[in-house]
Amino acid sequence: MSADAGAGDAAGSAAGSAAGSAAGLSKLVMPKWGLSMSEGRFIAWLVEEGAVVALGDGLAEVETDKIDGIVEATSAGTLLRRLAQPGETIPVGAPIAVIGPAAAAVADPAAVDAYAAELQASFVPADEADSGPRTEALTVDGRRIRYLRLGGAEGGEAGAVTGDGAEAPAGDGDTVVLLHGFGGDLGNWLFNQEPLAGGGRTVIALDLPGHGESSKDVGAGDLEALAGTVGAFLDGLGVARAHLVGHSLGGAVAARLAASRPGLVTSLALIAPVGFGEEIDGDYIDGFVAAESRRDLKPLLERLFADPELVTRRLVDDVLRMKRIDGVTEALAVIAAAVFPAGRQAGHVAAALAGTGIPVLVVWGTADRIVPVGQAQSAPAGARIELLEGAGHSPHMERAGEVNRLLGEFLTAGR
Amino acid sequence: MARKLSFLLAINEAMHQEMARDERVIILGEDIAGGAGGSAGNDEAWGGALGATQGLKTKYPHRVLDTPISESAFIGAAVGAAASGLRPIAELMFVDFMGVCFDQIFNQAAKFRYMFGGNAITPVVIRTMYGAGLRAASQHSQTLYPLFTHIPGLKVVVPSSPYDAKGLLITAVRDDDPVIFFEHKAMYELEGDVPEESYSIPFGEANIVREGGDVTVVAIGRMVQHALQAAETLAAEGIQIEIVDPRTTSPLDEETIYESVESTGRLVVVDEAHPRCSFASDVAALVAQNAFDALRAPIRMVTSPHSPVPFSPALEDVFVPSPERIAAAVRDVLGAKSGSRR
């Protein structure tokens, strides 16, 4: 799920590439899922040596202290060498496999071994002090908005942070803005932001007002207020047009912004969005606002996924950390009262998109327990609807590979 | 999440933010302003024996009271101020000096709510240093939270990380009951992620510091750091310990301890205090009484010995529970078969 990079990886690629590129060999590395990941525990290989793999195929299972995920092929070819063993703890960016043409293994197996050995010998783990990108903040309308910007530099140097927040995004590619759901933060896109940031595309994830490390002042707390802040944020960054990707509440915010300022929005990708119907799991919303302990919160977070096992203690702790910050509970309560009064959804935003001509992609899990998948039928005419069989309310986390592929195709087509 | 802060500065930031939020918050203590003298002038030269109150006197000159060396007087003043509407934070340099102001704490602060029929509150926080390891001998090295845990009406906080220190101190200031806040003097340099914003961590909610299925290790304060070191050694042997940090000894999150013991069947309790009538013996007794059916091996306690903290460096080094002793106790409850999982 990682582009072929990760902070501190430069030494490895420089040393390995001379021998490897001639024979068409490339490496697969331990991906970095989210800001805090420095290593992953290797659980299992999903394919045998000698298997033919396509770009994006799931190759291995990796567990982090936050969440489990699937490592996907970052190049196509034959899986020539599996370097990682189940049970090993492996730093981000370290080589875990060699991929290349099948002929390479037959013609010169020693060269493949030498390439693998050199990769491993030359790998230098990232210096913890400056590993990876950092979040920035911009103040708009008196509200501090925290965001993380990836990509932008031509050549897809994933992890590169462009500029210091004062200047406009560098690179001549498109800008994609990721909007999380109710109670989430920019870290919810840990499996998506880096994969989407290749090829000169700039991908910005932000904390909505009331969430994460952004201002706890949510104003009226309704979709209009939230969308207004996101619009002002993009103006402040100097982003003239952007693709918006929104999950759940973030989907409704994106749609509202597209309806009110269509010139700002290139395309709209909505994942299990709010704003398409009335029904929603109101107990989840109320329970989330009220929850103070791990015991309260864990069963609620389990409703976000088709597989409740995905909710680790660390994930629960991270949400609790956010909820303990002064003003968060009050801010969430204001948003909940405005957007989900009496356990129903207040505003329909789907209809307002009809006349805008903005391309729309709707992605929904058929096992969504928070917002019923049937509401996908309310999508505006011409929208592309993708239903993911068996996925829950957070397909961008639990089925990241598929969602990234759908988003990648959609973003490329919708330019 | 990204910003690192030391344990000391996390405590400092909590006080700055609470003083800014609530003008009823005042600070009293010895040497919390002038102290050691220096170029910044008498008011800001030092900021407490180890610097926890840096910057507060300049910012709030009338709310930071540098007191004479009389614990009985300023703790009494803090309790009285709390009972009459302020929210004082008193810094009692070393917990070892509590002896001279026991009455103010045990008989007054802890009792007001009860003896006045629930009509009085006493929102005082007493911050104090505890623990061995600084070559400070018997009268400046003790771990005395069990004494305070024993007294109904007091809340007792023993943070193990910079994140917890800030969030728990903010909760302490906002709490309406007297809170004794223990800071291990060997932990002030410890760094960790600390949000810049104010946040509060509820009392009586344990933190699962590390998950593991083989043995539950309950540890508090600095012992959490030692348990984490033991966990690394044990993991290399294939043993996964679950570290439960109750964060507060009063109130105590018994449920999380029982849940963990129910999943592992084995318990080691680590406590820097002496072994008799201690945090360790309390947790061991509670588990023996309420979760006995889950136990598959005897409970082990890893504590300091029943002896004053020695001044001899060689002896002091073996006095405090070490990661090695914790690891040995874990292997012991697993049946002493190193490398086997069950």
Side-chain angles (χ1 to χ4, degrees):
Chain A
M1 242 166 269
S2 162
D4 182 354
D9 189 40
S13 25
S17 59
S21 59
L25 302 177
S26 63
K27 64 182 172 169
L28 180 71
V29 303
M30 175 63 73
K32 182 173 174 68
W33 293 327
L35 289 174
S36 62
M37 179 174 169
S38 61
E39 60 185 27
R41 208 161 82 86
F42 199 88
I43 302 300
W45 280 105
L46 301 175
V47 292
E48 299 298 323
E49 276 187 7
V52 174
V53 300
L55 197 65
D57 280 359
L59 301 186
E61 257 179 83
V62 162
E63 172 188 279
T64 74
D65 54 6
K66 191 172 291 187
I67 197 161
D68 302 349
I70 303 289
V71 183
E72 299 185 342
T74 50
S75 54
T78 299
L79 184 67
L80 297 175
R81 294 288 184 276
R82 303 196 305 197
L83 306 176
Q85 304 302 321
E88 275 187 286
T89 298
I90 300 171
V92 164
I96 57 177
V98 176
I99 295 173
V106 180
D108 194 355
V112 178
D113 289 333
Y115 174 72
E118 196 181 345
L119 279 184
Q120 290 181 301
S122 59
F123 171 71
V124 181
D127 182 0
E128 214 175 311
D130 59 7
S131 76
R134 289 186 190 283
T135 57
E136 301 166 67
L138 183 74
T139 300
V140 287
D141 297 343
R143 297 188 181 96
R144 176 184 195 267
I145 299 295
R146 181 181 72 142
Y147 66 100
L148 176 67
R149 175 161 49 188
L150 295 187
E154 199 53 65
E157 194 191 320
V161 179
T162 55
D164 56 8
E167 62 194 71
D172 45 26
D174 290 359
T175 299
V176 181
V177 176
L178 309 176
L179 302 173
H180 61 77
F182 181 75
D185 68 15
L186 57 80
N188 294 162
W189 302 102
L190 79 174
F191 295 128
N192 320 102
Q193 191 173 4
E194 190 176 311
L196 291 175
R201 206 184 272 142
T202 301
V203 184
I204 298 168
L206 57 84
D207 289 340
L208 288 171
H211 292 75
E213 292 177 30
S214 286
S215 164
K216 304 307 173 280
D217 169 15
V218 298
D222 54 13
L223 295 179
E224 204 164 2
L226 296 172
T229 303
V230 173
F233 167 81
L234 293 178
D235 297 341
L237 273 190
V239 175
R241 275 176 76 77
H243 301 271
L244 303 184
V245 179
H247 170 236
S248 196
L249 172 69
V253 172
R256 175 53 58 98
L257 181 57
S260 61
R261 294 183 58 186
L264 187 61
V265 180
T266 314
S267 75
L268 208 48
L270 308 174
I271 303 170
V274 161
F276 277 47
E278 281 195 7
E279 200 182 322
I280 189 166
D281 181 352
D283 292 345
Y284 171 82
I285 302 291
D286 296 344
F288 188 92
V289 173
E292 286 187 349
S293 69
R294 181 186 294 111
R295 223 169 267 111
D296 299 337
L297 195 58
K298 189 157 191 261
L300 291 170
L301 295 181
E302 285 172 350
R303 298 193 204 177
L304 293 174
F305 302 93
D307 174 9
E309 294 286 306
L310 286 171
V311 179
T312 60
R313 279 208 166 108
R314 174 67 190 265
L315 189 71
V316 179
D317 277 349
D318 280 354
V319 176
L320 271 180
R321 278 184 178 225
M322 183 184 83
K323 289 205 75 221
R324 289 183 190 126
I325 290 173
D326 282 4
V328 167
T329 299
E330 293 80 358
L332 291 177
V334 170
I335 294 173
V339 184
F340 313 115
R344 312 288 288 176
Q345 299 184 36
H348 288 243
V349 292
L353 295 173
T356 61
I358 295 170
V360 176
L361 167 68
V362 176
V363 180
W364 224 303
T366 60
D368 193 322
R369 288 188 276 175
I370 306 291
V371 185
V373 64
Q375 294 177 11
Q377 299 314 316
S378 306
R384 178 175 165 196
I385 299 174
E386 295 283 348
L387 303 185
L388 299 183
E389 198 58 43
H393 186 60
S394 307
H396 58 309
M397 295 175 87
E398 55 186 323
R399 300 272 280 275
E402 285 166 74
V403 171
N404 289 344
R405 224 164 1 260
L406 289 170
L407 289 174
E409 289 167 19
F410 177 71
L411 293 173
T412 307
R415 295 194 61 182
Chain B
M1 313 263 165
R3 187 188 59 149
K4 301 270 183 203
L5 211 58
S6 70
F7 192 86
L8 182 78
L9 291 178
I11 287 167
N12 180 258
E13 186 167 275
M15 289 192 286
H16 271 284
Q17 290 179 344
E18 283 305 282
M19 290 195 83
R21 186 189 63 85
D22 186 346
E23 62 177 18
R24 295 172 300 170
V25 177
I26 63 165
I27 300 192
L28 309 87
E30 296 160 1
D31 289 350
I32 59 175
S39 58
N42 284 338
D43 282 351
E44 270 321 308
W46 192 242
L50 289 176
T53 48
Q54 274 169 37
L56 291 167
K57 179 75 178 172
T58 323
K59 214 159 156 190
Y60 307 103
H62 305 298
R63 290 162 62 196
V64 177
L65 310 176
D66 200 3
T67 68
I69 304 181
S70 174
E71 286 82 4
S72 54
F74 79 79
I75 293 295
V79 170
S84 46
L86 296 178
R87 305 190 81 90
I89 304 170
E91 179 176 306
L92 200 151
M93 209 178 279
F94 292 92
V95 70
D96 313 69
F97 307 161
M98 287 279 186
V100 296
C101 44
F102 266 11
D103 188 70
Q104 289 85 330
I105 299 168
F106 291 181
N107 275 336
Q108 310 304 328
K111 302 293 190 283
F112 288 163
R113 181 189 280 281
Y114 298 87
M115 293 182 73
F116 297 134
N119 293 320
I121 58 167
T122 313
V124 62
V125 180
I126 302 177
R127 292 179 41 243
T128 190
M129 283 192 283
Y130 78 100
L134 256 66
R135 312 294 186 233
S138 305
Q139 296 161 329
H140 299 79
S141 301
Q142 297 174 82
T143 297
L144 297 179
Y145 43 74
L147 288 181
F148 300 87
T149 307
H150 188 72
I151 308 293
L154 299 178
K155 291 178 177 169
V156 182
V157 183
V158 192
S160 67
S161 70
Y163 173 81
D164 282 3
K166 178 174 167 182
L168 290 167
L169 183 53
I170 288 174
T171 304
V173 173
R174 297 175 188 181
D175 195 284
D176 283 343
D177 288 313
V179 177
I180 318 294
F181 191 92
F182 282 83
E183 302 164 14
H184 199 295
K185 57 180 84 72
M187 282 176 65
Y188 283 128
E189 301 296 314
L190 178 73
E191 294 213 327
D193 289 350
V194 179
E196 289 172 38
E197 293 159 287
S198 286
Y199 57 92
S200 52
I201 301 174
F203 290 168
E205 189 185 321
N207 183 25
I208 311 283
V209 178
R210 179 187 174 112
E211 288 177 278
D214 295 328
V215 176
T216 297
V217 174
V218 175
I220 197 156
R222 189 186 181 206
M223 293 302 101
V224 173
Q225 301 300 326
H226 286 195
L228 279 167
Q229 289 174 39
E232 292 298 320
T233 310
L234 291 163
E237 300 168 16
I239 299 168
Q240 299 296 337
I241 62 172
E242 179 148 296
I243 302 175
V244 178
D245 170 12
R247 287 185 175 134
T248 56
T249 61
S250 184
L252 178 67
D253 181 357
E254 296 176 37
E255 277 310 307
T256 298
I257 296 171
Y258 301 150
E259 278 171 20
S260 178
V261 171
E262 274 157 18
S263 74
T264 62
R266 294 176 165 87
L267 174 65
V268 171
V269 193
V270 189
D271 185 7
E272 191 177 327
H274 309 296
R276 305 288 319 284
C277 293
S278 65
F279 167 71
S281 59
D282 184 32
V283 170
L286 285 166
V287 170
Q289 179 163 293
N290 299 318
F292 187 78
D293 291 348
L295 289 171
R296 290 190 276 171
I299 298 166
R300 282 288 308 266
M301 303 196 302
V302 183
T303 69
S304 295
H306 191 70
S307 123
V309 180
F311 186 42
S312 151
L315 289 177
E316 188 181 11
D317 288 344
V318 295
F319 180 91
V320 177
S322 62
E324 292 73 26
R325 277 174 60 202
I326 297 168
V330 167
R331 291 187 201 102
D332 192 48
V333 298
L334 277 169
K337 279 179 293 190
S338 176
S340 70
R341 285 180 73 85
R342 293 223 146 73

